[in-house]
Amino acid sequence: SVPTNGHIKIGLDVAGMGRAATVVIERNENKVEMPESHKKTDHMEIAGIAHNKHGTIFGDAIGEGAGVISRLVEMGDDVIAVKGSESAEGLKDLTGERKFANMRAYLMWAIRDALDPKLGGSLALPPDDELIQELTEPTFNIRSNGSIIIEEKDEIKKRISRSPDKADALSFTFYPEQIPAAMASFDPQPELRRRRW
């Protein structure tokens, strides 16, 4: 891929050969491009599609995405591995008041903040009805310790009859590139779990 100034972020949610679609979505600062959906596409083909994009690739490092991430690293791409289940210790929302139960909750809330004009949000979404539905469908709860947890994907799937792949791919582009000190100290092996691949 051609090096860029680092503003273009590419979210990659890999589905493999199953019923769900692999989604590639680009965000250039506050402008989100139309998501690309690729159904029943093998891992090497997905790696090739992502490799031909220009920017930093944020990909799901668990399950189907792990092999694609490894291949992109081999090809020399700028890749950041995202794990929705990892700790979000030390991360706060834009108000500095809310904390999150895991990375998935933080990432979904980051989209919410980026859309909120009261917080200076100016995120421009593409006219994609599925993406809008996937972003507005999830609910959240606040745990006893005050951290926010987003509804499980399986519950969302029951209501919309598909996996929220487009919302997931977009959320990956909000993954923090700077690690809070509290998060690094909380993680017993930060160099293994949070390294830039």
Side-chain angles (χ1 to χ4, degrees):
S1 292
V2 176
T4 68
N5 58 12
H7 292 301
I8 297 177
K9 298 183 176 187
I10 300 147
L12 176 63
D13 184 49
V14 179
M17 301 295 286
R19 282 178 35 197
T22 290
V23 174
V24 182
I25 194 164
E26 290 186 44
R27 179 167 69 88
N28 189 344
E29 297 201 359
N30 288 330
K31 185 182 181 202
V32 180
E33 302 296 336
M34 283 293 285
E36 299 173 20
S37 293
H38 303 274
K39 290 196 172 180
K40 298 195 176 188
T41 311
D42 71 45
H43 290 172
M44 291 306 101
E45 190 174 349
I46 289 299
I49 290 166
H51 176 71
N52 288 321
K53 301 289 181 186
H54 305 304
T56 301
I57 301 165
F58 294 78
D60 191 352
I62 297 176
E64 294 281 349
V68 176
I69 293 279
S70 295
R71 179 62 184 138
L72 289 167
V73 171
E74 283 180 357
M75 291 193 288
D77 289 299
D78 185 16
V79 179
I80 294 179
V82 178
K83 295 178 185 170
S85 60
E86 77 178 299
S87 167
E89 186 74 22
L91 294 172
K92 301 272 181 140
D93 71 334
L94 286 183
T95 68
E97 297 172 5
R98 296 180 179 92
K99 58 184 181 177
F100 303 92
N102 56 29
M103 187 58 70
R104 178 172 171 257
Y106 170 80
L107 296 176
M108 291 299 291
W109 204 273
I111 298 174
R112 177 186 167 124
D113 280 356
L115 289 165
D116 188 344
K118 291 178 185 171
L119 298 174
S122 59
L123 190 67
L125 297 174
D128 184 294
D129 292 341
E130 288 186 347
L131 175 62
I132 302 303
Q133 182 186 32
E134 291 171 18
L135 291 174
T136 55
E137 190 64 33
T139 61
F140 70 92
N141 286 305
I142 300 175
R143 290 184 165 175
S144 58
N145 67 358
S147 64
I148 290 171
I149 185 82
I150 301 293
E151 177 182 27
E152 292 293 328
K153 275 198 232 181
D154 285 344
E155 295 302 312
I156 299 167
K157 286 179 193 176
K158 286 177 190 173
R159 292 198 303 277
I160 68 174
S161 302
R162 67 176 186 279
S163 178
D165 303 314
K166 293 179 179 180
D168 286 348
L170 177 58
S171 77
F172 295 165
T173 69
F174 286 87
Y175 189 82
E177 295 184 66
Q178 298 299 318
I179 304 167
M183 196 168 179
S185 62
F186 179 83
D187 192 333
Q189 293 182 300
E191 72 284 354
L192 295 179
R193 291 181 55 212
R194 297 191 51 80
R195 71 173 186 254
R196 196 173 190 114
W197 291 65

